[in-house]
Amino acid sequence: QVQLQESGPGLVKPSETLSLTCNVSGGSISSYYWSWIRQPPGKELEWIGYIYYSGSTTYNPSLKTRVTISIDTSKNQFSLNLTSLTAADTAVYYCARPDTTGWFSFESWGQGTLVTVSS
Amino acid sequence: DIQMTQSPSSLSASVGDRVTITCRASQSISTYLHWYQQHPGKAPKLLIYAASSLQSGVPSRFSGSGSGTEFTLTISSLQPEDFATYYCQQSYSTPYTFGQGTKLEI
């Protein structure tokens, strides 16, 4: 069973850029899709986007102008960059992997990392 | 975007009860509908995928049904560990979207 672990800063200032990394263990990242999902405190989940192992990406249009997802197969990890942060970006950020059967349910999740946007 | 609406938003029940949660999609999504359980401070856990398929390792008291725009998650006999928040998610088209959640309380 693949395991995912997020890492990155817990506190970021407004207008700055958030950079998070998801380390994948127990399997190769060089297959299928890898995704980021976030959850503001007390609110519902929001899909941010995904990256295919080849490097192709699809983003949520609500964040598309500010988000970049990249992949480093040599390190077995993928990353999220989110620019121009505001308080509305305060959330728990999860990395996740969809099922491999094509339904795109999220069967594997990291534990999540809380990111607070505040000066 | 496809909007997912869950009902009820919260539900009080007792151990041993049978409960049903509904999820409605703003347009037809076939059976591209999945259910998750989330305990406070934890990542969501996949319970049901493709509307009615039980994820490996999930107890058989959980079941899902539906297609098109209306779906249900049923827990046949509530156990203490089932008190959590439940979310539905559609993967028919991007952006993938989640329901607002149903909090199941004792």
Side-chain angles (χ1 to χ4, degrees):
Chain A
Q1 179 82 0
V2 68
Q3 294 183 327
L4 301 93
Q5 176 70 58
E6 306 89 351
S7 62
L11 179 65
V12 189
K13 290 182 169 53
S15 79
E16 292 189 343
T17 295
L18 170 66
S19 295
L20 296 176
T21 297
C22 182
N23 189 66
V24 178
S25 59
S28 173
I29 202 170
S30 298
S31 64
Y32 217 59
Y33 295 86
W34 304 89
S35 194
W36 288 96
I37 296 164
R38 70 179 183 178
Q39 185 173 36
K43 295 188 177 181
E44 66 204 62
L45 297 149
E46 179 181 29
W47 176 75
I48 298 171
Y50 64 59
I51 187 165
Y52 194 50
Y53 74 96
S54 63
S56 64
T57 54
T58 300
Y59 301 130
N60 191 321
S62 68
L63 297 168
K64 188 174 183 178
T65 60
R66 300 194 292 129
V67 67
T68 302
I69 299 176
S70 58
I71 194 165
D72 187 337
T73 55
S74 67
K75 295 181 179 179
N76 227 40
Q77 61 187 207
F78 63 108
S79 300
L80 169 71
N81 270 22
L82 186 63
T83 64
S84 305
L85 293 173
T86 70
D89 295 309
T90 293
V92 176
Y93 285 76
Y94 296 100
C95 55
R97 195 198 76 175
D99 62 82
T100 55
T101 56
W103 287 101
F104 270 89
S105 62
F106 295 101
E107 65 175 10
S108 299
W109 296 69
Q111 64 184 28
T113 185
L114 174 62
V115 176
T116 302
V117 180
S118 175
S119 55
Chain B
D1 298 6
I2 298 175
Q3 184 176 355
M4 308 302 294
T5 304
Q6 290 181 230
S7 60
S9 295
S10 63
L11 175 61
S12 295
S14 301
V15 172
D17 284 353
R18 177 185 179 92
V19 299
T20 297
I21 299 168
T22 298
C23 178
R24 290 185 173 86
S26 60
Q27 66 182 74
S28 178
I29 58 171
S30 183
T31 56
Y32 286 84
L33 188 284
H34 322 298
W35 290 98
Y36 301 84
Q37 176 193 65
Q38 186 178 37
H39 287 106
K42 300 294 187 182
K45 173 187 175 184
L46 178 65
L47 300 175
I48 301 285
Y49 66 96
S52 61
S53 295
L54 192 67
Q55 175 69 356
S56 176
V58 174
S60 59
R61 63 180 180 272
F62 292 92
S63 63
S65 65
S67 66
T69 62
E70 188 155 336
F71 303 86
T72 59
L73 172 69
T74 299
I75 311 172
S76 60
S77 178
L78 278 172
Q79 299 302 300
E81 60 268 29
D82 299 338
F83 292 94
T85 300
Y86 293 83
Y87 293 96
C88 60
Q89 175 235 331
Q90 66 82 18
S91 61
Y92 182 79
S93 66
T94 60
Y96 302 139
T97 47
F98 294 82
Q100 82 279 15
T102 295
K103 187 174 184 179
L104 181 52
E105 300 174 298
I106 300 174

